[in-house]
Amino acid sequence: MPVKLGLDTPQSAVPGIDWPSIPAPAAASQLAVQWQLDHSQWWPLPRLRGYQLLQLRGLLAHAYRTIPWYQQHWSRAAYEPGAELEWDLFHRLPLLTRTDIQTAGNALHSRGIPPEHGQVRHRSTSGSTGTPVHAWATDISQLFTTAFTLRDHCWHRRDLSARLAVIHTLADGRTG
């Protein structure tokens, strides 16, 4: 009986090897991230929170060292890069608002994007709420955006071969 590969089987990058497939490097990275997300969602909360703090510590230290806006605003919250990070300090850090993004200009641009993060690309919103948001994204940030979007689709068991329309809910309950 002929078999047709489904959406749950990645396309092989090696001709003549259909299953198990050997995905292209970008697809392999995506599969690796999906596997980790799928397994870590069942960890006990203290373990998951520990890994989150570990990643946040490095991310926040990098942002503080390389992005002037964070240096200026996080200093007021007594943030010190490299110091042990706890949730209470994290929650004291001021949130970056849409207005902050629109008015900060180059003060929100990192002066030290790691080369391992790949190509840097300009991104912008449509400006449907009035003023567009302009930002920069790397290959790694796109990898995670795709991973989290795919994870959401999997959680909701969406038919990935169908068309999709999305309305996002913002943190304050508005839609955008």
Side-chain angles (χ1 to χ4, degrees):
M1 175 167 98
V3 174
K4 182 176 180 184
L5 296 178
L7 293 173
D8 60 346
T9 306
Q11 184 174 5
S12 185
V14 179
I17 299 179
D18 295 315
W19 188 86
S21 67
I22 300 175
S29 294
Q30 192 60 244
L31 285 169
V33 170
Q34 289 302 320
W35 185 89
Q36 292 175 76
L37 291 174
D38 191 47
H39 286 79
S40 65
Q41 70 183 338
W42 305 114
W43 287 350
L45 187 58
R47 182 178 183 198
L48 184 59
R49 292 288 181 151
Y51 275 89
Q52 289 172 334
L53 281 174
L54 176 69
Q55 184 60 45
L56 278 170
R57 182 179 180 198
L59 176 65
L60 297 180
H62 173 78
Y64 189 86
R65 280 192 325 271
T66 69
I67 302 173
W69 190 93
Y70 291 113
Q71 291 169 2
Q72 177 186 0
H73 289 80
W74 289 354
S75 294
R76 297 180 202 146
Y79 174 76
E80 295 178 30
E84 195 62 36
L85 182 64
E86 298 293 335
W87 287 110
D88 62 328
L89 171 61
F90 177 71
H91 290 292
R92 284 197 318 263
L93 297 176
L95 294 175
L96 182 66
T97 67
R98 181 181 188 88
T99 302
D100 292 334
I101 296 169
Q102 292 168 328
T103 60
N106 288 340
L108 270 174
H109 294 181
S110 175
R111 311 281 193 275
I113 297 172
E116 300 83 9
H117 286 231
Q119 186 176 356
V120 179
R121 294 176 185 85
H122 179 259
R123 298 281 187 249
S124 65
T125 64
S126 65
S128 61
T129 61
T131 305
V133 169
H134 298 277
W136 296 93
T138 66
D139 292 337
I140 292 291
S141 61
Q142 185 58 48
L143 172 78
F144 281 109
T145 297
T146 302
F148 298 142
T149 301
L150 181 57
R151 184 181 197 199
D152 183 67
H153 292 323
C154 291
W155 278 348
H156 291 91
R157 299 175 190 232
R158 294 186 182 111
D159 178 358
L160 299 180
S161 67
R163 291 178 187 245
L164 176 69
V166 177
I167 299 173
H168 291 280
T169 301
L170 305 175
D172 64 3
R174 295 177 296 131
T175 57

